Amino acid sequence: MISKELHGPWALIAGGSEGLGESFAHRLAAADINLLLLARNAEKMEALAAQIRAQYPVEVRICAADLTAPDMLATVTEATDGLEIGTLLYIAGAGGKPYPLIDQPWDEALSTIQLNVVGQTALARHFGKAMADRQRGAIMLVGSLGCVAGSKRLAVYTAAKAYTQILAEGLWAELTPLGVDVAALLIGRTRTPALERSEIGNNGEMAVAETDDVADFALENLQNGPVIVPAELQQAFDGLRSMPRRKAVEIMTRSLEPQTTNEK
């Protein structure tokens, strides 16, 4: 579990305006941890901050920033100046619309890489150094079961999710001996506004997890890194990793592509 005593008084939630970020925010506030919400939509964050302040005796600040912007780290550094960020939750990482890479607009492909690769690396490096110096802290990078194999029309997205897993594994090896808990949380379809906005979420045959259940699982299993997978996904995760790569890619493609039977 995350706690103020073990990890520190402040948590930074990147992707903290809605969905899974909202569920984590409530649970951290209930644990008496102050929050800095980081996302693009200031209005949504203000509404969530007001809700949390009304329910819990914690301080909540917001930082409106684009995690893909070149000056993102400078913006976040300024917003966290003087705060002991003991927990970093990097939740942002939506995939957008599926495209074959050769047809995908370059700015969309680059944005996926910046959000899922550059952004989380920059924040993990920046805040991880202070956590290591204090010998306490927690870093959780939220990834996807899509990390286990590439997929047609989602090549960049699945590659970026693979990076999240491997980065967390390396950070776990480096930082756990220094008192910092690290884990990659690999989730499947989760009922979030981002999923509803994405064509990736249109496969009605796939089960959808609830954000509160995912957040509860993640916080209960933080110390079980470097990779934590909800029980209902563990068999699929292990199976896809162990099978021949061609078969894994074929299965991943079928599972992530929108189903034509559901299209109007």
Side-chain angles (χ1 to χ4, degrees):
M1 289 293 293
I2 284 180
S3 73
K4 186 175 183 178
E5 293 72 24
L6 287 176
H7 303 105
W10 282 88
L12 170 62
I13 304 179
S17 62
E18 61 183 12
L20 189 54
E22 180 176 350
S23 292
F24 273 115
H26 278 279
R27 281 149 182 76
L28 292 170
D32 197 32
I33 295 175
N34 301 313
L35 304 175
L36 178 66
L37 307 178
L38 171 63
R40 290 179 297 180
N41 194 314
E43 184 177 353
K44 287 183 179 179
M45 286 191 293
E46 286 286 11
L48 177 57
Q51 183 184 108
I52 291 175
R53 293 186 193 109
Q55 294 185 44
Y56 311 99
V58 297
E59 186 175 350
V60 185
R61 301 184 188 182
I62 72 166
C63 175
D66 183 347
L67 286 162
T68 69
D71 62 347
M72 179 275 292
L73 183 58
T75 301
V76 175
T77 299
E78 181 178 357
T80 57
D81 185 38
L83 303 182
E84 182 184 329
I85 302 296
T87 298
L88 169 63
L89 290 176
Y90 199 99
I91 300 169
K97 296 181 179 180
Y99 286 99
L101 177 58
I102 58 175
D103 297 326
Q104 187 173 23
W106 173 239
D107 60 341
E108 292 188 20
L110 184 59
S111 179
T112 297
I113 295 168
Q114 290 171 327
L115 183 61
N116 289 277
V117 177
V118 178
Q120 64 183 218
T121 304
L123 294 186
R125 177 179 181 272
H126 177 74
F127 293 108
K129 176 64 168 66
M131 294 176 192
D133 290 343
R134 293 191 296 265
Q135 295 194 324
R136 69 172 185 173
I139 297 174
M140 181 174 290
L141 307 179
V142 179
S144 166
L145 200 65
C147 72
V148 294
S151 171
K152 177 182 176 181
R153 302 177 71 208
L154 290 168
V156 175
Y157 174 79
T158 51
K161 293 306 181 183
Y163 180 87
T164 294
Q165 177 189 335
I166 301 303
L167 175 64
E169 290 173 347
L171 289 174
W172 179 86
E174 294 172 353
L175 295 178
T176 298
L178 303 178
V180 181
D181 293 315
V182 180
L185 168 64
L186 304 186
I187 62 176
R189 280 182 172 81
T190 305
R191 199 182 310 280
T192 65
L195 182 74
E196 297 303 319
R197 292 190 293 265
S198 170
E199 289 185 18
I200 302 171
N202 288 343
N203 185 340
E205 298 178 2
M206 298 293 290
V208 179
E210 301 299 329
T211 58
D212 286 348
D213 294 336
V214 173
D216 287 337
F217 167 82
L219 295 177
E220 289 169 3
N221 288 276
L222 172 63
Q223 282 81 18
N224 295 329
V227 177
I228 56 176
V229 183
E232 64 272 18
L233 300 176
Q234 189 69 57
Q235 183 176 3
F237 176 67
D238 292 338
L240 283 164
R241 286 196 307 171
S242 63
M243 68 179 57
R245 300 312 303 161
R246 177 179 292 186
K247 183 177 180 181
V249 172
E250 290 171 347
I251 290 174
M252 186 64 69
T253 294
R254 289 198 300 270
S255 70
L256 290 180
E257 280 205 309
Q259 301 298 295
T260 55
T261 54
N262 294 329
E263 294 177 354
K264 296 182 180 178

